[in-house]
Amino acid sequence: VSLLTFSSLSKSYGAHDIFRDLGGAVPHGSRIGLVGPNGIGKTTLLRIFAGLDESSGGSVFRARGLRAGYLPQEAVEAASANTLWGEMLAALADLLGHEVELRQLETAMADPDQFATASERYGALQEQFERDGGYTYETRIKQMLTGLGFEAGDFDRPLAQLSGGQKTRALLARLLLENPDLLILDEPTNHLDISAVEWLEKFMGEWPGSVVIVSHDRYFLDEVVNKVWEMTPTRIEEYHGNYSAYLLQRSERRERQALEYEAQRAFIAKEEDYIRRNIAGQNTAQAKGRRRRLERLKATPDAVVDRPRDLDTLNLKLDTKLRSGDRVLETHKLVIGYHDDGKPLFDAPDLLLWRGEIAALIGPNGTGKTTFLKTLLGQTPPLRGKVKLGSSLKVGYFAQAHEGLRPERTPIDEIQSVREMPPGAARDYLAKFLFTGDDVFKKVEVLSGGERGRLALAKLALEGANFLLLDEPTNHLDIPSQEILEAVLSDFAGTILLVSHDRYLIDALATQIWSLESGELEAFKGSYREFVEFRESGMQIPNPKDQIPNSKLQTSNVKDRKTEARGANGKEKGGTGKRSAEERRRAHRRDELELLIASLEKRLAEIATELESAGPDVARVRALGEEYAQVEIDLAAHVEEWGRIV
């Protein structure tokens, strides 16, 4: 049963079409991730689903009595005078009304004349009240607010005093408490740190309703969704499974479409050649017949295979010709903080980062991650201890707030501040970062967050650095740009220290995880998934230098060190950046195949069960038999490919 369906849906502003002819359905219990480049109209589509925006054409049908909850990217100013706690109680108005009625009925039952009537109503209402969580709602509210990053001291604060991000989180908490049939979420992780996102993932895993989510957080999509809609200006392509399964299926579809396109193009060329040679000869009747069929084919939109084409994406390269020393970064008894107040933000163990490694620094907002980067850059002195950078280093810094961009400059000015080049060459270079036309003459101060991020990456790519300090590089980037950045960083021949909440990026790249919480930094050598498993096991993370034998730390063989550091998660089996990227791609493909194989095996078991209960329904048995045969074929193909990879 579908909660919401839409067909021929279009949205235009004047003569400009945002999208047109979109169609699809949101079944009960589905968890849909809506992906596509920035500007494609994802937020507009969500607003139409929520009834907050009108389409220019087409229709949207909602199930009778559908209760939908919508979370915008940024919460609007609340008109409510409630405190945070009061706003949560407002979400439970019906439940609290029942609680009041129960108290009234208890009073009525004390009157012998009203006892019979009141007790009958009381019993039914109390059962409903308990089923709806009436005796645990305060605990649920506390768990909800704490899970989304609020502290107990925030509970009694008026909504008007909360920051924009806190208001968005408060709205999310209220929506979850309201328990709508359909949740429509636009970037729900924008204002959440990793622990809050992990809490939300677990909560969504038990969510009984349907969800449509727009998110740039690929790891979140992997954990939450069971279907992906890829949005283009003219259609929605549906993929089954999580984000990683979508990547695999998308690649397979595009390969298949490319083959079909080439085959059809060859067929059309062959038919046109036959028509041209025979239209005026003995075979004129056959030629005319072929021409009519070819004209019908070309006039039927669904019959013509389109050339697979990607939308505009970044054309990013990060090259460095300067080889650094082997020991890129070392710290000794380091304490990070500001001398003005003398209060330490955190203590760090003695850290060591080798050339070619990628360390990911993770932790809640406000714990000092950016300050740590500025300490490495020499902009903020440490409270205590030492930082030693290796030899032959050229450091490139990507600032989260893009402080390196000057508001009064244009993109061309910024590029020419790094490297002198003619205006035409600068425009050509900026086009690789999706700055075209008059975009190159806009002031930095009017650029969007995504545009500033792309401009900062454009400058970084010109610097030729061999040690990159990256502070939230995927912020404001759409998913296609994130995928490109991930591939580029994977191939980078230098060393990277990455501060990020993007767990998908971290898991794909990192060889070390530096976790910062409660004033302490812990260093773990391995991938992010290994770090999570280790943390959930309850074991204590050992001292960084104890995690690799001393003989490995002291050896001068860089290739051995990189193999030791990355071999545990299969990310590198050799000394070159290209080989490292290939190994990572193979490991990622292996994981995708294992997910698909498990899914197909599960489906085979389900079909077998359905066949047993199909009874005399011949059509049903035939359909299930055909599906079983196809699933077996797909399973065998995926198992064969998996065998080649491992």
Side-chain angles (χ1 to χ4, degrees):
V1 179
S2 293
L3 298 180
L4 182 147
T5 59
F6 57 103
S7 60
S8 303
L9 206 60
S10 303
K11 183 63 178 180
S12 305
Y13 292 103
H16 177 57
D17 287 337
I18 304 297
F19 53 77
R20 55 186 172 84
D21 298 327
L22 301 187
V26 181
H28 177 72
S30 59
R31 301 163 188 276
I32 299 168
L34 178 62
V35 302
N38 287 344
I40 204 73
K42 300 187 296 294
T43 291
T44 302
L45 184 61
L46 292 192
R47 287 180 57 82
I48 292 173
F49 287 171
L52 299 174
D53 213 342
E54 293 290 334
S55 64
S56 303
S59 55
V60 177
F61 298 96
R62 299 173 180 84
R64 187 184 301 274
L66 175 68
R67 295 181 305 114
Y70 172 63
L71 179 77
Q73 287 191 33
E74 302 292 339
V76 296
E77 284 299 318
S80 171
N82 279 336
T83 63
L84 177 61
W85 187 266
E87 189 70 6
M88 299 306 106
L89 292 179
L92 303 172
D94 290 344
L95 185 66
L96 297 180
H98 291 160
E99 185 176 38
V100 171
E101 186 179 355
L102 284 172
R103 302 291 83 81
Q104 293 170 343
L105 289 169
E106 288 169 358
T107 302
M109 285 189 297
D111 183 348
D113 294 336
Q114 301 183 58
F115 178 80
T117 303
S119 62
E120 182 179 353
R121 168 65 178 159
Y122 184 86
L125 185 60
Q126 186 185 44
E127 183 180 343
Q128 181 65 43
F129 184 72
E130 183 175 2
R131 191 161 54 245
D132 292 341
Y135 297 108
T136 60
Y137 68 84
E138 289 191 347
T139 300
R140 281 191 290 133
I141 291 175
K142 289 177 183 177
Q143 290 174 340
M144 191 84 65
L145 293 177
T146 303
L148 291 175
F150 289 104
E151 298 178 355
D154 296 322
F155 293 177
D156 294 326
R157 290 177 61 192
L159 288 179
Q161 293 182 7
L162 301 182
S163 68
Q166 287 174 321
K167 289 174 182 173
T168 302
R169 285 189 277 133
L171 176 55
L172 175 58
R174 173 168 178 157
L175 289 175
L176 297 179
L177 285 168
E178 288 174 343
N179 196 30
D181 306 309
L182 173 62
L183 267 176
I184 302 170
L185 306 178
D186 197 353
E187 298 292 354
T189 66
N190 264 5
H191 301 284
L192 304 180
D193 59 25
I194 287 180
S195 61
V197 175
E198 290 175 342
W199 178 89
L200 182 59
E201 287 168 353
K202 292 177 182 176
F203 185 91
M204 296 304 296
E206 301 173 0
W207 180 260
S210 296
V211 189
V212 178
I213 304 170
V214 167
S215 179
H216 290 155
D217 188 333
R218 298 169 291 169
Y219 201 100
F220 179 74
L221 293 176
D222 242 6
E223 295 294 315
V224 172
V225 308
N226 57 21
K227 187 180 295 185
V228 174
W229 285 353
E230 183 182 67
M231 185 174 175
T232 75
T234 57
R235 66 181 179 276
I236 286 179
E237 291 273 357
E238 186 171 284
Y239 298 82
H240 293 279
N242 64 3
Y243 179 79
S244 292
Y246 148 72
L247 288 181
L248 173 61
Q249 294 170 55
R250 183 184 67 179
S251 175
E252 291 175 343
R253 282 192 195 181
R254 289 181 180 176
E255 289 176 6
R256 192 160 55 244
Q257 186 181 358
L259 292 173
E260 291 172 357
Y261 171 79
E262 293 298 336
Q264 188 177 77
R265 193 171 69 162
F267 167 77
I268 290 173
K270 184 178 179 181
E271 291 294 283
E272 288 176 339
D273 179 62
Y274 179 90
I275 294 165
R276 187 170 49 253
R277 288 186 291 103
N278 294 281
I279 196 67
Q282 289 184 334
N283 297 325
T284 182
Q286 294 93 322
K288 288 179 179 179
R290 291 192 182 193
R291 185 170 62 184
R292 284 193 298 272
R293 289 192 293 272
L294 197 57
E295 287 171 349
R296 283 199 300 270
L297 172 70
K298 292 180 178 180
T300 307
D302 292 341
V304 177
V305 180
D306 294 328
R307 178 198 293 271
R309 59 179 78 237
D310 292 322
L311 295 169
D312 291 339
T313 53
L314 290 178
N315 184 359
L316 173 64
K317 291 183 179 179
L318 291 173
D319 295 324
T320 179
K321 297 178 181 178
L322 180 63
R323 187 185 189 279
S324 73
D326 291 344
R327 300 166 81 96
V328 173
L329 169 65
E330 296 179 71
T331 68
H332 180 64
K333 295 183 177 179
L334 183 64
V335 179
I336 298 296
Y338 294 98
H339 284 268
D340 292 345
D341 55 23
K343 295 180 181 179
L345 291 171
F346 66 88
D347 297 344
D350 290 352
L351 301 169
L352 176 59
L353 189 61
W354 295 100
R355 178 175 60 84
E357 284 199 287
I358 300 176
L361 176 59
I362 65 174
N365 294 331
T367 51
K369 301 187 295 296
T370 297
T371 306
F372 179 63
L373 294 186
K374 291 183 176 180
T375 300
L376 300 185
L377 291 166
Q379 298 175 5
T380 302
L383 275 183
R384 292 187 294 278
K386 295 180 180 179
V387 172
K388 181 181 179 183
L389 296 179
S391 60
S392 303
L393 280 185
K394 184 173 184 181
V395 179
Y397 177 47
F398 180 96
Q400 179 180 357
H402 312 310
E403 295 99 331
L405 302 178
R406 290 172 55 174
E408 72 279 6
R409 285 179 172 172
T410 66
I412 282 188
D413 296 334
E414 288 288 353
I415 292 304
Q416 291 178 327
S417 72
V418 180
R419 181 182 300 174
E420 283 294 332
M421 61 177 74
R427 294 190 66 161
D428 290 343
Y429 179 73
L430 284 166
K432 298 178 180 179
F433 294 83
L434 311 185
F435 291 97
T436 58
D438 292 337
D439 291 344
V440 300
F441 300 117
K442 291 180 180 177
K443 298 289 187 184
V444 167
E445 61 190 0
V446 302
L447 297 181
S448 68
E451 288 170 329
R452 293 187 188 195
R454 286 188 272 114
L455 182 55
L457 286 172
K459 290 182 65 177
L460 184 67
L462 287 175
E463 293 176 359
N466 56 14
F467 182 28
L468 301 181
L469 304 182
L470 306 178
D471 195 354
E472 301 291 356
T474 58
N475 270 11
H476 305 293
L477 292 183
D478 57 22
I479 285 183
S481 298
Q482 290 179 29
E483 292 173 351
I484 290 167
L485 179 61
E486 177 188 319
V488 168
L489 294 180
S490 176
D491 285 335
F492 181 62
T495 308
I496 300 172
L497 174 54
L498 172 68
V499 172
S500 181
H501 288 101
D502 187 340
R503 294 164 298 159
Y504 202 92
L505 182 73
I506 293 169
D507 191 51
L509 299 177
T511 61
Q512 293 192 43
I513 306 297
W514 295 353
S515 176
L516 177 55
E517 285 189 50
S518 304
E520 293 289 338
L521 188 146
E522 295 181 311
F524 176 84
K525 295 187 181 295
S527 72
Y528 180 73
R529 289 188 186 273
E530 290 172 332
F531 165 74
V532 171
E533 292 170 3
F534 197 92
R535 182 183 61 186
E536 290 178 348
S537 73
M539 297 178 64
Q540 185 176 0
I541 296 176
N543 183 285
K545 290 188 178 180
D546 294 338
Q547 294 179 50
I548 295 180
N550 286 335
S551 60
K552 289 292 184 183
L553 287 172
Q554 293 167 0
T555 180
S556 60
N557 188 323
V558 177
K559 180 176 178 180
D560 284 349
R561 278 199 299 271
K562 292 173 71 177
T563 303
E564 176 71 23
R566 298 187 181 181
N569 57 9
K571 289 199 172 184
E572 178 164 312
K573 298 251 172 49
T576 69
K578 290 184 178 179
R579 182 63 185 274
S580 169
E582 176 60 26
E583 291 295 337
R584 276 194 282 273
R585 279 191 288 271
R586 286 170 64 88
H588 187 61
R589 176 62 171 168
R590 181 196 63 220
D591 292 343
E592 290 174 335
L593 286 170
E594 288 171 355
L595 283 171
L596 274 175
I597 289 168
S599 175
L600 290 170
E601 289 174 338
K602 180 181 177 182
R603 182 57 189 150
L604 280 179
E606 291 172 349
I607 296 172
T609 302
E610 291 175 31
L611 280 167
E612 291 175 2
S613 60
D617 188 340
V618 177
R620 176 71 174 151
V621 170
R622 183 185 297 114
L624 287 170
E626 291 173 353
E627 184 184 357
Y628 193 98
Q630 184 58 52
V631 172
E632 277 194 318
I633 292 171
D634 294 343
L635 178 61
H638 289 314
V639 169
E640 181 183 355
E641 184 182 354
W642 180 85
R644 292 196 301 269
I645 290 177
V646 299

